[in-house]
Amino acid sequence: MKAHIALKEIEDWVKDKLIHETTGHDWYHIERVTNLSKELLKSEDADTFTVIAASLLHDIPDEKLEDDVETSMKNIKDFLLSLDIEETVIDKILTIISTISFKGGHGDKLTSMEACIVQDADRLDAIGAIGIARTFQYGGAKRQAMYDPEVEVRNDMSAKEYRKGNSTSINHFYEKLLLLKNKLNTERAKEIAQEREDFMKLFLDHFFKEWNGEF
């Protein structure tokens, strides 16, 4: 199957699964990440098909959305095999999907430029104006407090504590979002990230002024 046809099949498959997702990991997030990956590809030497396919598929087995990650990964592999994609390419796609997560700062070491690009694209969509909106959407979906001054920011935590521990949407900025720019892999992603990080800092300044009743 030709690459562009296979990518369209993957796109349709993912869109059908995530179009109504309500935690900020919906189809439109996937579309933005894919577009960001295409932008980063302009500056890096990487396999386009692998990057785009992994960008489209990266949230299908995400443990935030899927309890049975192993089965979800198998479903992805079976689907890609049905498109006559070579197993070596499929294995690389699955490796990217399984290694790019933040995991409380304990993410896996990346082994390819393709993985670096997809991770950067995913992280760019977690910051800036969209990142702010997604943070509160996810927090609301998980019945998490917007902010609680009694809940301290967690500076050191395991991957399990990051995923399951008590936090707030505002704390998430300090536990993850404001850490991402310095963890990006590509220079182009760092350039894009600067304005987005600045916007988040401005938002937080205004948030705490209003929270504290400053006029």
Side-chain angles (χ1 to χ4, degrees):
M1 183 178 291
K2 292 184 178 180
H4 71 280
I5 297 175
L7 287 175
K8 184 62 169 65
E9 291 286 338
I10 295 169
E11 179 180 312
D12 290 344
W13 191 71
V14 173
K15 188 173 185 178
D16 182 66
K17 290 180 178 297
L18 296 181
I19 190 66
H20 299 301
E21 204 283 324
T22 58
T23 71
H25 301 82
D26 55 16
W27 162 250
Y28 300 105
H29 162 66
I30 299 297
E31 187 174 48
R32 291 190 302 271
V33 169
T34 303
N35 288 334
L36 283 162
S37 289
K38 291 176 181 177
E39 173 63 25
L40 301 182
L41 275 165
K42 296 175 183 177
S43 306
E44 304 297 338
D45 182 16
D47 182 68
T48 298
F49 179 85
T50 301
V51 168
I52 301 305
S55 297
L56 289 167
L57 291 161
H58 79 276
D59 268 345
I60 294 296
D62 193 309
E63 60 185 8
K64 294 187 293 295
L65 311 177
E66 176 60 61
D67 292 330
D68 190 348
V69 172
E70 185 176 341
T71 297
S72 186
M73 291 287 279
K74 182 181 182 301
N75 290 341
I76 291 174
K77 183 169 186 175
D78 290 343
F79 173 64
L80 295 179
L81 284 170
S82 76
L83 301 179
D84 294 324
I85 297 170
E86 293 181 11
E87 283 206 53
T88 54
V89 176
I90 293 174
D91 289 342
K92 194 166 188 178
I93 291 168
L94 295 177
T95 297
I96 293 171
I97 293 170
S98 65
T99 56
I100 63 169
S101 181
F102 181 68
K103 297 181 181 177
H106 301 282
D108 298 310
K109 181 177 178 60
L110 304 184
T111 58
S112 68
M113 177 51 67
E114 288 80 7
C116 289
I117 289 172
V118 179
Q119 183 182 76
D120 280 3
D122 190 33
R123 290 180 171 184
L124 284 172
D125 200 57
I127 61 178
I130 291 289
I132 292 170
R134 291 181 65 218
T135 295
F136 289 102
Q137 183 182 23
Y138 183 78
K142 297 300 180 180
R143 304 183 67 82
Q144 188 178 67
M146 175 179 71
Y147 177 57
D148 182 346
E150 298 298 319
V151 179
E152 295 184 359
V153 172
R154 302 168 296 170
N155 295 312
D156 186 23
M157 56 190 145
S158 67
K160 183 178 180 181
E161 288 169 338
Y162 168 72
R163 184 70 63 219
K164 302 294 185 181
N166 184 37
S167 190
T168 72
S169 292
I170 288 293
N171 285 15
H172 187 64
F173 286 83
Y174 301 98
E175 293 171 352
K176 177 182 178 181
L177 306 189
L178 292 173
L179 306 178
L180 292 180
K181 180 170 71 69
N182 291 334
K183 293 180 178 293
L184 295 172
N185 305 289
T186 65
E187 292 305 312
R188 179 60 179 136
K190 293 173 186 177
E191 292 173 2
I192 297 170
Q194 186 61 62
E195 182 180 11
R196 298 186 180 205
E197 183 182 79
D198 291 344
F199 187 81
M200 290 193 301
K201 289 178 177 178
L202 179 63
F203 165 78
L204 289 168
D205 286 344
H206 280 269
F207 179 90
F208 283 112
K209 284 180 181 178
E210 294 178 21
W211 183 274
N212 294 321
E214 299 175 18
F215 303 102

